[in-house]
Amino acid sequence: MRHFVSVILCSCLLAACSTPMAPEDISAASARWATLVKQDANLYRIDDKLYRSEQPVAEDGELIEQLGIRSVINLRFFDRNDNETHLKGRNLMLLNRPLLTWKIKPKDVAQTLFLIEKQQKYGPVLVHCYHGADRTGLISGMYRIIYQGWSVEEARLEMQHGPYGYHSIWKNIENLFTEEKVQEVREHLERLRKEG
């Protein structure tokens, strides 16, 4: 019980000590964030080759195809068969790349980016988890850094303050947004490319 109380107190102290972003800084940064496609699906366009969303439902299938998306990558660790249920019979490649939210490592991020990279040869890719906020936010942010040249801070800011619903409880995800961790992602990604 004491350990639990200590953890809670430390968490509260850390939250109180963090400096909140000024609204004008967030507003200025938001001009570059992903473009809303469909609000109730948390569906956004990152660029011509990548979209992000929450778990698609059957009603999203037609729009996904209209957008030219050819591959849907599910980051969910549990209930990974929902794409087959909701998107069955569509002209889409349905792929699973499960990430355990609380145990994501740079190697996992690199493997996911490599899968996205390979699938983009066939057309735009949609990446999603359950809410389209945390795991999807991490992968989208790392995509911004690795492929679009964003700074670590810009990508972290979009993940945390963008309109996608990021859950701040996932400190381990935030902790991946460092120059050191991004370098690890780059190194793993380069190895994967060499291996083919």
Side-chain angles (χ1 to χ4, degrees):
M1 181 67 176
R2 269 191 231 147
H3 177 70
F4 177 74
V5 172
S6 296
V7 169
I8 296 297
L9 288 173
C10 287
S11 297
C12 292
L13 181 60
L14 285 172
C17 292
S18 63
T19 307
M21 287 292 301
E24 59 272 9
D25 293 337
I26 294 172
S27 178
S30 69
R32 295 182 63 202
W33 292 349
T35 306
L36 177 63
V37 176
K38 187 175 187 247
Q39 182 73 49
D40 67 345
N42 206 13
L43 175 60
Y44 288 82
R45 179 184 170 276
I46 293 174
D47 64 20
D48 291 341
K49 298 182 196 178
L50 188 64
Y51 290 79
R52 60 177 291 168
S53 77
E54 62 185 32
Q55 172 64 58
V57 295
E59 296 78 36
D60 301 326
E62 186 176 340
L63 175 59
I64 289 169
E65 285 184 320
Q66 287 172 0
L67 292 168
I69 292 168
R70 304 289 294 143
S71 304
V72 178
I73 299 175
N74 184 355
L75 303 177
R76 296 178 68 186
F77 192 83
F78 302 103
D79 298 320
R80 281 183 259 160
N81 62 345
D82 284 356
N83 282 349
E84 286 78 11
T85 301
H86 298 303
L87 301 175
K88 186 178 180 180
R90 300 256 175 214
N91 190 25
L92 299 166
M93 190 172 298
L94 305 176
L95 303 158
N96 286 313
R97 179 64 201 118
L99 297 176
L100 267 173
T101 312
W102 55 90
K103 282 189 162 189
I104 303 170
K105 304 287 183 216
K107 182 178 181 180
D108 304 318
V109 174
Q111 290 170 339
T112 306
L113 291 175
F114 187 61
L115 178 59
I116 291 169
E117 191 176 296
K118 288 190 332 187
Q119 292 308 121
Q120 286 176 331
K121 294 174 185 172
Y122 306 107
V125 172
L126 170 67
V127 64
H128 76 83
C129 53
Y130 185 66
H131 295 108
D134 307 310
R135 289 165 288 186
T136 299
L138 166 64
I139 297 304
S140 300
M142 289 294 177
Y143 180 90
R144 297 282 203 194
I145 295 165
I146 304 289
Y147 299 98
Q148 297 182 330
W150 283 33
S151 72
V152 172
E153 181 57 26
E154 286 174 308
R156 186 193 59 75
L157 183 69
E158 181 184 24
M159 180 187 71
Q160 290 178 313
H161 298 285
Y164 323 108
Y166 179 72
H167 301 98
S168 61
I169 191 169
W170 299 115
K171 298 296 181 199
N172 59 307
I173 290 178
E174 292 173 32
N175 292 339
L176 290 167
F177 283 83
T178 67
E179 294 295 341
E180 179 184 21
K181 295 296 183 188
V182 168
Q183 185 55 36
E184 287 182 50
V185 171
R186 289 183 194 279
E187 289 167 7
H188 286 295
L189 188 55
E190 197 51 43
R191 275 188 224 115
L192 290 167
R193 288 172 179 154
K194 286 177 182 173
E195 291 168 6

